[in-house]
Amino acid sequence: MNVLLSGIVGSTAYGLAHAGSDIDRLGLFAAPTADFHGLRRPAESHVTTAPDRTLHEAAKWCRLALSCNPTASELVWLPDDLYEVRTDLGADLIAIRRSFLSARAVRNSYLGYATQQFRKLTTRDPADPRSRAQGAKNARHLVRLVEQGLALHESGEVTVRLADPERVRSLGEHYAERPADATALLADAEARFDRPGVLPDAPDEAPAEAWLRRVRTAHLTAA
């Protein structure tokens, strides 16, 4: 596969990993350009669980990033030491990462995913030990998504590595035990998202379009 950019994401990247944590990898690849002209289009994603790795085709990744999908977007905001593959085209993508951002998409995605985690918290079975452990994980994701989304809204930067992982862990445990307390966190986030931020109303698609065309030109023939 023509992997253009790949790195370690998830709990390791956030600073939330513990001894038993899986190492999650995310990347993007370029399908041979000729493959887009047959009867069937090439696969847009490849996902494996041993190891845990997700690879998105370049165009799909761009669409996800233009919607400010938190998981996909973090690929171009990783600390340098977490990249395992970074080709010239991958570096070019990192250079245009701000062009994918927009205020409405950031609010909808980060706050939307955080709200999903809250719903999972409120519907779990507190008597089930496995459900309790999953609840703590959901709560940590809730806190992380709120913090990262607000930082992005107010600064224009995606902060993948959390400044205070222990605080996020502690709040996660608290909200897992008392889900109703998380409503105040979400209400405050909504109020802050309602205030003007630094992001544009719409993403600038031109850099992504130009980059994707360079990718297609570079992969006109199969490797």
Side-chain angles (χ1 to χ4, degrees), residues 15-171:
L16 294 172
H18 53 76
S21 294
D22 295 327
I23 296 179
D24 300 310
R25 289 175 167 86
L26 175 67
L28 62 88
F29 69 97
T33 304
D35 288 2
F36 291 89
H37 298 282
L39 288 174
R40 296 174 180 82
R41 296 178 65 83
E44 289 197 315
S45 298
H46 294 278
V47 180
T48 62
T49 55
D52 292 318
R53 184 174 75 159
T54 297
L55 293 172
H56 295 305
E57 209 285 318
K60 179 179 180 178
W61 184 90
C62 286
R63 293 194 297 271
L64 289 170
L66 286 167
S67 70
C68 295
N69 176 281
T71 303
S73 297
E74 69 185 38
L75 177 61
V76 290
W77 294 89
L78 293 175
D80 286 344
D81 60 300
L82 293 181
Y83 285 111
E84 297 180 316
V85 176
R86 180 162 51 178
T87 64
D88 288 344
L89 282 167
D92 289 345
L93 187 62
I94 294 172
I96 63 170
R97 61 191 180 184
R98 287 178 178 81
S99 65
F100 290 91
L101 302 174
S102 61
R104 180 177 294 182
V106 165
R107 178 192 175 113
N108 288 346
S109 57
Y110 281 84
L111 195 53
Y113 279 107
T115 301
Q116 286 181 16
Q117 299 300 323
F118 176 71
R119 291 197 189 105
K120 291 178 181 179
L121 271 181
T122 59
T123 57
R124 68 182 177 84
D125 179 5
D128 183 350
R130 290 175 298 179
S131 181
R132 288 170 62 87
Q134 184 60 46
K137 184 176 182 179
N138 294 142
R140 288 194 298 272
H141 282 311
L142 188 161
V143 177
R144 172 185 62 80
L145 286 161
V146 166
E147 290 194 356
Q148 290 177 327
L150 288 173
L152 182 50
H153 174 70
E154 296 169 352
S155 73
E157 298 282 325
V158 176
T159 305
V160 176
R161 185 166 283 157
L162 299 170
D164 191 351
E166 286 306 315
R167 175 180 172 275
V168 173
R169 224 180 251 110
S170 177
L171 278 174

